[in-house]
Amino acid sequence: MSATTDRTDAPRVVLGVSGGIAAYKACELLRRLTESGHQVTVVPTAAALHFVGEATWAALSGRPAATETWESVHQVPHVRIGQQADLVVVAPATADLMARAAHGLADDLLTNTLLTARCPVVFAPAMHTEMWEHPATQENVATLRRRGAIVLEPAVGRLTGVDTGKGRLPEPSAIFEACRTVLRRGGLGTDLAGRHVVVSAGGTREPLDPVRFLGNRSSGKQGYALAATAAARGARVTLVSANAELPDPAGVDVVHVSTALQLREAALKAVADADAVVMAAAVADFRPAEYVTGKIKKVDGVEPAPVVLVRNPDVLAELSADRARPGQLVVGFAAETDDVLANGRAKLARKGCDLLVVNEVGERKGFGSDQNEAVVLGADGTETAVPVGPKEALADVVWDLVAARLA
């Protein structure tokens, strides 16, 4: 069976394309959706067809592109397309398209579809920085988010011409992963809409000299799963990433750091207006007391000098003790190798956080794997066991517990 063959069990996705130069990137998103078994109907605006023609959309989707409200009138396309969809994703979403959607206008097939859709709706914005930052656009984005739509944060990078800044369409691969996350959740809604959450991920590195460092095995996959899942649930997400060699999740503001001190500085800045903070990064407890500016040389017959370590700040305990705003929730992670629950309970009391995700780690456990299992301990005495499964599943449990406490 070809990827574009209609199947009754295939998720039905409407890909809306508005008139921006980034419309060509939607072809890659369409390819990923169809090749992964989704049944995709492309609804381009008239302006989008100036960038990518109708024949291209039909060839890539294996289905006629829906372009006119007045075509196949007996099938009432302006109603049926939205009613039958499991997901609507608009990529790129221009400032004009989001303004029309926010104000409930229905002057073409795509805006009609948005009004009739009762499934999750994802907007992937693309525009110049000034347009994204304009108060009118920000108010329209806030309106869409308040109504339950997922408006991804645009990426930072090269725009049209020589301009660079925030407003670039997220990479199609990242938008695709966001769509898969939303579809996996089905109709569970956007319970984090209007919330700002901060997530840390990866492992810090403490330099010894220009070529060596003290580090750990953390890949950052769990933190990235937490960030992507929060974005799919409607949150505005800031991800503080320490040395994770992973693509930035779509719709997430990513701050890249390396050392524990850099992570602390970025986290303290990010949490100022955050509703919840999830510290999933593996932060080094110690760093070398002295940084050697030149590579440490091996000298025959001479033993190397001992490496003297000093303590790093305890970022999780600091965030827990000095909440940046009333009601802010703090979630920590505890990677243990033995006496997992006993050590976890002691750490929960010591750190002062609201929730602590405790998991056993080792060379073949936790670090680097696509799966995880854990117990989430609550300061209120609760224990929530999460069986082995995808890291996204653990992320959803964490956000379930956070959302319930925020509510």
Side-chain angles (χ1 to χ4, degrees), residues 1-37:
M1 179 181 293
S2 69
T4 56
T5 299
D6 285 2
R7 297 193 343 250
T8 57
D9 62 337
R12 292 163 296 188
V13 177
V14 173
L15 172 58
V17 186
S18 58
I21 185 61
Y24 78 93
K25 293 185 177 181
C27 295
E28 172 66 13
L29 175 60
L30 174 57
R31 184 187 68 79
R32 288 177 178 270
L33 288 167
T34 55
E35 289 186 356
S36 57

Side-chain angles (χ1 to χ4, degrees), residues 44 48 128 163 172 330 399 403:
H128 274 76
D163 293 344
V330 179
W399 292 126

Side-chain angles (χ1 to χ4, degrees), residues 40-374:
V40 186
T41 300
V42 183
V43 184
T45 65
L49 293 174
H50 285 289
F51 295 98
V52 181
E54 182 178 351
T56 300
W57 301 121
L60 291 175
S61 67
R63 302 165 57 83
T67 60
E68 294 289 343
T69 306
W70 302 106
E71 290 179 352
S72 304
V73 175
H74 65 288
Q75 297 177 351
V76 202
H78 70 288
V79 174
R80 294 286 181 263
I81 293 174
Q83 284 180 333
Q84 297 173 354
D86 297 305
L87 172 71
V88 177
V89 53
V90 183
T94 60
D96 174 72
L97 186 284
M98 289 194 295
R100 288 188 287 143
H103 288 83
L105 301 183
D107 54 357
D108 62 8
L109 187 55
L110 179 53
T111 48
N112 271 274
T113 298
L114 290 169
L115 280 180
T116 57
R118 294 299 179 264
C119 60
V121 177
V122 176
F123 293 91
M127 64 197 73
H128 274 76
T129 305
E130 293 83 358
M131 298 175 73
W132 171 254
E133 293 177 346
H134 195 282
T137 302
Q138 289 302 303
E139 287 182 17
N140 291 331
V141 168
T143 297
L144 291 169
R145 285 173 170 164
R146 189 172 63 252
R147 292 175 184 161
I150 298 164
V151 183
L152 303 176
E153 290 290 314
V156 176
R158 180 74 177 269
L159 305 173
T160 306
V162 298
D163 293 344
T164 60
K166 188 169 186 177
R168 180 183 175 91
L169 184 74
E171 289 302 313
S173 58
I175 301 173
F176 170 68
E177 290 301 329
C179 289
R180 289 211 309 177
T181 301
V182 173
L183 281 167
R184 174 175 54 81
R185 283 184 49 76
L188 295 180
T190 52
D191 55 356
L192 294 177
R195 302 292 190 179
H196 176 210
V197 302
V198 175
V199 179
S200 71
T204 60
R205 295 176 178 177
E206 310 302 322
L208 285 163
D209 64 20
V211 297
R212 300 180 179 91
F213 60 84
L214 299 179
N216 56 67
R217 297 178 184 272
S218 179
S219 65
K221 290 182 178 180
Q222 184 63 71
Y224 273 60
L226 282 155
T229 302
R233 295 171 75 144
R236 176 167 67 91
V237 184
T238 301
L239 174 63
V240 180
S241 174
N243 307 296
E245 296 179 0
L246 298 167
D248 292 351
V252 172
D253 284 325
V254 184
V255 181
H256 293 281
V257 298
S258 183
T259 68
L261 293 178
Q262 291 170 355
L263 184 143
R264 174 183 178 272
E265 180 182 2
L268 289 175
K269 181 179 179 180
V271 304
D273 66 342
D275 297 285
V277 186
V278 181
M279 299 297 291
V283 182
D285 294 321
F286 309 100
R287 68 182 185 276
E290 179 184 2
Y291 173 74
V292 181
T293 57
K295 180 182 176 182
I296 301 172
K297 299 291 187 179
K298 179 175 66 176
V299 179
D300 290 342
V302 179
E303 291 297 315
V307 176
V308 179
L309 301 177
V310 295
R311 286 184 179 274
N312 274 322
D314 190 328
V315 184
L316 176 59
E318 184 176 356
L319 293 175
S320 298
D322 188 14
R323 309 288 171 115
R325 57 185 297 186
Q328 185 178 76
L329 285 173
V330 179
V331 182
F333 269 68
E336 302 291 345
T337 58
D338 53 62
D339 294 330
V340 175
L341 286 181
N343 287 334
R345 292 187 188 97
K347 186 171 185 178
L348 175 65
R350 189 168 67 252
K351 300 291 186 179
C353 50
D354 301 288
L355 296 168
L356 188 72
V357 184
V358 185
N359 64 324
E360 186 176 359
V361 296
E363 287 194 26
R364 294 180 176 83
K365 293 181 179 180
F367 290 143
S369 171
D370 292 327
Q371 295 192 318
N372 208 347
E373 64 178 316

